[in-house]
Amino acid sequence: MDSITPEVANHVLFHYGRGGYQAGGFTEQIIKAIDMADPGNRDKLALGFPGYVAAIVAIQYDPNGVDRLTVIATSGEVAA
């Protein structure tokens, strides 16, 4: 699994309205692109933005994804 930093966790949580804080304009567009991407394009985006893809996959498909990202966001530690 790719590393998710506290900053990435906060950006993704904010995008989904679950806390965190807003990313800058370019990063927000990357998050939107990953959010909308089909699996093939998401895999391509993971080449450049692995932490964001991992965080978005977690929040979309893991029932505990919001909780996991919240822990990462508030702990200040990188999660693998």
Side-chain angles (χ1 to χ4, degrees):
M1 178 179 211
D2 293 299
S3 296
I4 301 171
T5 65
E7 180 179 49
V8 167
N10 275 294
H11 291 165
V12 172
L13 287 166
F14 182 88
H15 177 76
Y16 287 92
R18 304 302 298 256
Y21 53 81
Q22 189 169 18
F26 177 78
T27 302
E28 184 60 31
Q29 294 304 313
I30 295 298
I31 293 168
K32 287 178 185 178
I34 297 166
D35 183 24
M36 296 172 50
D38 57 75
N41 284 310
R42 187 174 54 233
D43 290 345
K44 291 175 185 174
L45 288 163
L47 297 173
F49 307 96
Y52 281 101
V53 171
I56 290 169
V57 167
I59 206 166
Q60 287 181 340
Y61 300 108
D62 180 352
N64 299 314
V66 171
D67 293 335
R68 285 185 52 234
L69 292 178
T70 300
V71 167
I72 295 167
T74 59
S75 73
E77 296 181 20
V78 175

